[in-house]
Structures are given as C-alpha cells and as structure tokens.
Amino acid sequence: MIFRRFTIIILTLLSVLVNAQIEFVSSGDLEIDSLRQRVLKDPSNQYNYEERALLMYLWMGSLQEQGADVSRFWEIDQKFHKLVGYNRSKIDEQVLLEIGQVVDRGYEKLEKIQHHLFQYGTIFTPYDSEGKDFPEDGDLEANWPMFQANKYNNGYTEASGPRYGRNVWKFPIGLGWYSRPVLEGNRVYLSSPGMRTTSFCLDLNSGREIWKSTQHHPIFGTYKYPAIMSTPVIQDDKIILREVNSHGGNQGQAKHLVYIDKRTGKTLNRSYAGHVDYRTRYAPVASNDNYVVYPFGVADIYSKPAICQNFNRLICKDKNNEKLIWDFNVGNIDALAEPVMTEKMVFQGTMEGFVYALNLTEVDESVYAIEMDDRNDKRIISWSFNADGAVNTSVVVHEGKVYFGSNNGTIYCLDELTGELQWFTKVESIEKRARKHFSTGVIGAGKLYMGSANKNLYCLDLNNGDILWQATTRDWVRSNPVLNDKGVFVADVSGRLYGFDKKGDLLFEKKVSTHPIYADLALSENRIVLNDSHLITYCFNLKGDQLWKHSILKANFRDDGERVFTDQLSGGTYYQSKPTAVDGMLYFGSPAGFLYGVDADTGQELWKFEMGGAISVAPAVMDGKVYAGQQGGERFYYCNDAKTGSLIWKQTLPGGWVWGSATVDDGLVYVPTVSGYAVCLDGKTGNIIWMYPTAKSIPAEPAIEGDIVYFGSWSRTLYAFNKKTGEVEWEMKAPSLDSGTLITDGDKLYLPSYKNIFAIYNSKTGELLSEGNKNRKLIEGIHNFQASPAFHKGLGFFTAKAGIGFSNPPLLSRVYCVDMETEKINWTYPDGGGVTAPALANGRVYIGSSNYPYLHALDQKTGKPYWIYKLGNLEEATLCIYRNKLYALSSDGYIHAIE
C-alpha cells in the first residue's frame, strides 16, 4: 500500500515536471499557435511544408522583433535554405521529405526560444551611460553632408557623438500607405502588405476580424514574396487586390490581380497584371463589374539592362482580367492618380496635365493585338483635356460632370460626355513642394469639398466653382474629405482628424495618429474609418473619439500598447533612407516619397518636398543645396534649397530611378542609377556633364579619391572614372556591391567581400592587393559580408549576415574589427550591421542591427559596449553622427535622435 502511494506520488511529480517543461507560451498569433499544435501530431510533408515554413519564419521574425535570442535557430535556417535553394527543379521526393523534417525541428527549436524569452527575457538589455569615460573633445561644427559622412565613404566624423545613449526626440516616418478602407454594409475591407495576410474583413461596429485572406508561394524571402498595395475593389461577390514586390519583374511571383471571395476571404485566383515595384507605393486597379482597368509600366530592375519604367499605359480587360479590351499609352501616370470608371468610360489624369476620357463600350475586337494608330486612338479616346498642371489625383464624376484639381492650384469642372470646360477656380496659395496639391473631392448638397497641400479645406459651389468657405488645417491634406448631414470630416498628414460644420466652423480637432495620414477616409452613417501610414486602421465616432483600432499588418497589441507583429512586411525593405546633417539641419527621405528638412536639435519639421516614389538615398548637401532622387514613380532627379526645400532644378536621368546616394565634390554630383548608368551632374544647373552605361544596376554609392570617382555595381565590375571628364581610367572584376559600398583611403580601395570579409584594390591601377581573410573558422556560419564598412586609422569595421532568415532581415549579424595592415581580426561583437553600416566618432563604433531591435555603442579598440539603445531594426538605412547626437531611421517608423 505504501509502495503504491509512493508510486502514485512519483508519477504525479513526473507528470507535473513534464507539463512544466511543455507549458504552452502563446506567440500572440492564433494561426501560429494552432499550427504549433498540429505540427506535434501531423508531420510536415510535400503538401504543407511551404505554408508551415512561412509561418515558422514569421514566428521566428516575431521573436526577433521582441529581442529573443534566435541563435539556436541557425542550424535550422542553414538546412532549410540549403534544401530549398533557388533551383527548385532539383527538388525530388527525398529532398521534400528532408525539408518537412527540418520544418518540424524548426518548430521544436522555436518552442524553446519562445520559452526562453518568456522565462529569461531578451538577448540584450538596453541601458544608457553616465558618460564618465566619454572623451571630451569633438568638433561641434563637423557636418555629415552625404552617405557615410564624406566622399570617401569611410563613416568617420570628428564630431563628439552621443555620450549617453538616451533618446532626445523621435520623428514619425510613415510608409506610403495609400490603400483606403472600403465599407460595405457592416463590413470593412482592408488590404494588408504582409508575407502571410493579404487582406482583412472586419466588423464595422466592433473591429472584430471576420476573415483574413492569406498567401504562400514557392520562392521564399521578403523581396520575392508579393505584397498587396492596392485599395480593395468590390466586384460583385469578389474583392480584387493587386500585388507589388522587388524581385523578378514580369517573370517573378508578384505580377497579379488577386481575386478573393468576399464572403469567406478565400483566394479564388491570381491573374497577370504586370509587375509593380514596391517603391512605387501604390498599385491602382479599378472595376465597374464589367471591366477591370489598371495602369501599367514595364519594370524589371534585375534585367540586363535594368528596365525602370513608371506607369505610362492604361490596360482595360474583361472583369476577370482575361480578355484584353485595349492597351493605351496615355503618358506618365502618377500612382496616386487612380483611374475612375463609370458604366461606359474610364477617366485618367497624367503628370503632363492631361485628363483622358476613354471609352469602355465603343470598341471592338479589331483593336486587339494591333498597333495603336489614329483610327484606334479615336475609338478609345472619347475626349481629352489639358489642365494647367499635373493631375496627380483621381477625378470625381457626378451627375454628368467631372471635377478635379491640378498641381498649379486650379480646380476644374468639365462636361462628362464632351470634356468641355464648365468652370475653373484658382486658389490663392500653391504649395509647389507637393506632388499632389489637391485631394480627391467629395460632393454633397450642391457643394464640392476638396483638401489641399496649402493646409486648407475648400468648399465650392458645384454650379459655378465659387469658393464658399475655406478652413485651415495644421498640415497638408492628402486624404479626401468625407461628409454626412452632421458635417464634413478631413485628416491631414500630421495625423490629425478634423470635423467642420457645413458653414466651415470647427467642430473638433484631434490628434488621432502618431503618423501621417495619406489614404482616403471612409464614412458610414456615424463612423469614420481611416488608415494611417503606420499601418493601423482606426474607427471614430463623429466627435473624433476612437471606437476601435486594428493593425493592417498582422499583429497583437500588448497591454502597454506596444504592437508585436506576427507577419512580415513583404515585397522588400522600406526604411532605407540615410540621414545627413549640415549647419543645424537634418535631412532624410521616407518610403512615402517625402524629403524632409528638420531642426537637428529639436526634430521640428522645417520643410518637406514630395517626389514620385520611395526615397532610399542619403540626401547629399553641397553649397546650400540638397540632392536626392526616388525609385518607382518618375524619371527625375532633384535639387532643392537646403533651407526651404524649394525646387532649384530637376533633371531627367536614364531610367530615372535611384536608390544609391549621390556623392558630391567640387560642384559636381555623382549619381548611381538603377538603370546602370554612372552619371555626373553640374550641381548648380543639373546639366549632365557625363554618363557611362554599365551592364547592370548600380545600387551602391560612389567614392572619390583625388581626380578619380569609383563606382561598383551588380555587374561585379569596379569602375574608375576621371571625375571631371568621365573617361575610364580602369575597370576591374570585383565583388558585386549591393547594400554596401566601397571606401577610398589614399592608394587603396576597401570593399566588403561576400565570403572573405573584405577585398583590397590599388586605387590607381585596379590591381587586386588582397582577397581578404580566408580563414573559414573565423567566419564560420556567416552568410555574407555585403554592408558598407567604416574605416579610421588603419582599422576597418565590417559587418556580416549570419544565417539567411528572410534574407532581409537576416537571422543574425556580427561586427568585425580588422587591422587592415595585418588583416588580423582584432575583435568581434555578436550583433550589429547585416545590411546597415557602422559609424565612427570619438573612439566609438556605433552600429544598429538588421535583425534585432538594438543600437550599440562600442569601444573601437576592444569592442566593449558603452550603451545599448532599443529601437526597431535598421534595414538598409545607415547612421548619421552630428555634434553630440546620432540619428537613425528605424523600421519602427521613426527617426531617432540619440544623445
């Protein structure tokens, strides 16, 4: 009896211990948690491994974001990517079996990592410093006027740098999120740019999730997976979405319209609509239940040569996107100028200032597959109208009239059938730094309401265009107003929501978002729904009180308000711009296409200037001018006044797109282009001094030493040009440059090398002096070295991706300090870099992380940390050190100023 009782006690204790070991800790995501349970009972196989692998990595990415130590996942990561690889034609049944086993072991590893995070906390504990050991010297007048501080790209400054590791201010940087909520009955439809989730259907009253649509694809990675970047279009019992991404062009995975069952969220089919680069910010599509219409432009940055064409054609197909009705070149279309359809016509504005009315029904099959001549043009064009400025917004069609605004400050009314001008009204103040001066209008009770970048909401008489009243807002109005019998409601890009009565008197003004609001608003009876650029949907009552909110990218909100993502932003990396600072001002771009000038001490916005696509570059500053370009939306490169942001000149570049930053020197501007051209511009006039075509895209920044400017590219070739004439001094095969670039130092060039940490070349002749460090034991587990290094007094600071992860972000990263004379590795640090670069000041190395939410201040000689600061991870953005502060653009959607 005693033995029996003892046995029962032992078994009970063992049961308690086992249960304690396998205690379930939620990931915060119901789909992931449910799959974790299924994996224990049902092994992964060839039919389900793609979906399971995606959710496994999304779980890992969520743990990364929270600061969990994911190093134990490294072996799984290596095996998975080795098995899946890029040549999928060689995957047989045995390999599929192995992949399934690796995925199952991956879930086992993540269970342990989740438990470790829950029990022991994060891999690093942020802390600041008292600054006692900090050197007192430093040049407070030292500027950081271009990428990595100077024309050598060495990332070094004489400034004192940040002593304490404390936040001084944060400036919100929004995505270019123009997808608006769509309301139908008691439902809200939202697009989502996630790797997993493509759209949501929510209950209007509660914000409760009714369904979500999902995706999984054969080729893995953030650059290769599609992101949805359109407004949901309701067509009968379906929802239509449109994909974007970076890789593959029209041969890749992201080139479709996606048809979703409106009732269930099930993906019905995907139909070819042409690749759209994710930096375009928006992928319009329209439907009138009989046809679909969408802008189109050929874009493939990975082709040879790269094709960089913004939207310039309008495609019309049947409702299922199968049968071509017509394909018409209307000229350059801004992505924000969405086509508007009626039963018989589609209306499209262009950057050249034309508005076209194109026929939907008065065409026949003879138009298909033949060149457009005058006869066919006349069949398609009902009429066209030439406005006095770019029409970069959608028109409004109402009771036989068409209403829209131009960027020259004029609001027009045209006859819908003939295009004849009915009236026009010009506003007094024009914001010339805006790319979209007016919002789309809304009509009610004989009045037209339209917001403006001149910080006004206008109410016009619908019959004659007279301005009845105008109300002032605090910032540019980009989203359309909405109205009902209670009043008119509008949001601005400062994140404020306003209510006005029908006489223009203010009912309320509330700061409702931390980030800009660009997308059009939606209203249903007594509820206002809006999407902000921080990927949050809000619902408000008519007094501006928040009723509910929902993350547009799948996430959960903690009790402390922190949002933990359980999906990955797909299509590419978005927060890429590199801050620069000169004479008390900080400059940076945004994925929404805005170039900013702010006070470096306070973070107060002094000006903004808008371009046609995402800005990935470091604004280069020289002689009171700022030089920058964009990718995805237009063909121009810009020069702006450094104090005011006013346009000085713009220049057409081959292909037009840039993501590498310019280097400036002696009045000249050296621009690397996505199309593969190395270009030299006159800094005063913008005139092209010389240009040279390389074989592939040039994503990396040029460097200058003496009379020579150096460009590297995807073509695995290093070019040395005479900086004034463009004459080729030499060219040499070299490591391909992508997220990182080269450094010049006297007669040597230092490059990051994918497998050997670095490579060294003679800057005068191009001779290869060193292939780098080939000791595999020292770089065991490293995926590649591709980020820009930093260099000072014979020490090189290189960073590596360790593991692949999503590709960007990588699984892990590491910092290496190398004596460049002996090529000896002095020290390493277990986090930092990956695809972002170190910055050097006052004996310190400052480095953000592409995989963890931390920024580290290290001793240059020893690698010892002085302080650790928590933010989001750094994508391809790099740091800026100015005076006693450091500035970083983080994936958490902020510029951080750290002292």
Side-chain angles (χ1 to χ4, degrees), residues 99-412:
I99 293 173
Q101 293 170 348
V102 169
V103 169
D104 290 346
R105 290 202 303 273
Y107 276 88
E108 291 177 16
K109 291 287 187 183
L110 292 176
E111 292 289 351
K112 295 176 182 178
I113 293 169
Q114 180 80 65
H115 273 271
H116 190 276
L117 175 65
F118 178 74
Q119 292 176 352
Y120 302 107
T122 57
I123 185 171
F124 298 106
T125 301
Y127 63 94
D128 55 27
S129 166
E130 295 180 357
K132 292 180 179 179
D133 299 327
F134 198 85
E136 294 298 329
D137 55 346
D139 183 0
L140 292 180
E141 301 304 317
N143 290 321
W144 189 286
M146 63 190 89
F147 173 81
Q148 286 296 86
N150 49 55
K151 64 182 180 181
Y152 313 110
N153 291 339
N154 62 25
Y156 172 76
T157 178
E158 293 287 342
S160 59
R163 176 190 298 256
Y164 305 107
R166 302 169 187 164
N167 180 262
V168 182
W169 52 259
K170 294 196 302 184
F171 187 96
I173 300 294
L175 293 170
W177 192 248
Y178 282 87
S179 175
R180 59 188 176 273
V182 174
L183 311 184
E184 185 183 54
N186 200 40
R187 290 191 167 195
V188 182
Y189 298 101
L190 306 172
S191 294
S192 175
M195 287 185 71
R196 177 59 172 169
T197 301
T198 56
S199 65
F200 291 98
C201 174
L202 309 179
D203 180 84
L204 175 61
N205 293 317
S206 65
R208 176 182 59 85
E209 188 177 301
I210 297 172
W211 54 252
K212 64 176 181 290
S213 61
T214 60
Q215 63 177 352
H216 63 91
H217 302 285
I219 304 177
F220 188 73
T222 50
Y223 283 103
K224 296 177 175 62
Y225 252 60
I228 298 299
M229 215 163 281
S230 63
T231 293
V233 173
I234 297 176
Q235 184 197 80
D236 299 327
D237 58 352
K238 302 179 184 69
I239 300 290
I240 306 175
L241 310 170
R242 191 174 183 188
E243 300 172 338
V244 305
N245 84 345
S246 175
H247 275 236
N250 288 318
Q251 305 302 315
Q253 292 186 137
K255 56 190 176 189
H256 303 97
L257 298 186
V258 183
Y259 286 77
I260 306 291
D261 186 301
K262 188 173 69 173
R263 184 177 61 85
T264 65
K266 180 182 177 181
T267 299
L268 301 173
N269 67 287
R270 300 164 71 226
S271 178
Y272 175 79
H275 172 71
V276 180
D277 190 282
Y278 75 100
R279 299 173 187 89
T280 302
R281 302 166 298 160
Y282 192 59
V285 58
S287 176
N288 66 356
D289 292 340
N290 295 313
Y291 305 96
V292 293
V293 172
Y294 46 85
F296 180 88
V298 180
D300 186 354
I301 63 176
Y302 296 93
S303 66
K304 295 184 286 188
I307 302 172
C308 309
Q309 188 180 84
N310 53 280
F311 293 139
N312 62 0
R313 290 152 58 189
L314 208 59
I315 305 291
C316 178
K317 289 189 174 183
D318 71 348
K319 64 186 294 183
N320 297 317
N321 194 38
E322 294 172 348
K323 182 179 180 181
L324 179 66
I325 308 303
W326 44 255
D327 176 348
F328 185 65
N329 191 330
V330 296
N332 293 298
I333 302 171
D334 190 281
L336 308 183
E338 214 166 356
V340 173
M341 300 178 71
T342 62
E343 182 181 354
K344 294 185 178 181
M345 286 194 285
V346 55
F347 300 88
Q348 180 67 63
T350 71
M351 299 182 200
E352 289 81 11
F354 284 92
V355 173
Y356 288 92
L358 307 177
N359 291 312
L360 291 173
T361 56
E362 295 179 11
V363 294
D364 57 47
E365 294 191 6
S366 66
V367 179
Y368 302 164
I370 59 176
E371 293 295 324
M372 293 298 171
D373 55 22
D374 290 342
R375 177 173 57 87
N376 291 315
D377 284 357
K378 290 176 182 177
R379 274 200 191 101
I380 297 173
I381 300 174
S382 177
W383 54 260
S384 64
F385 178 85
N386 191 6
D388 64 355
V391 181
N392 291 341
T393 188
S394 298
V395 306
V396 177
V397 182
H398 179 75
E399 295 183 349
K401 303 293 190 296
V402 179
Y403 304 89
F404 62 92
S406 79
N407 276 5
N408 205 35
T410 305
I411 301 171
Y412 292 92

Side-chain angles (χ1 to χ4, degrees), residues 819-835:
D819 185 311
M820 300 311 296
E821 290 297 322
T822 66
E823 301 185 3
K824 175 186 174 184
I825 298 175
N826 290 345
W827 54 260
T828 65
Y829 187 76
D831 183 44
V835 291

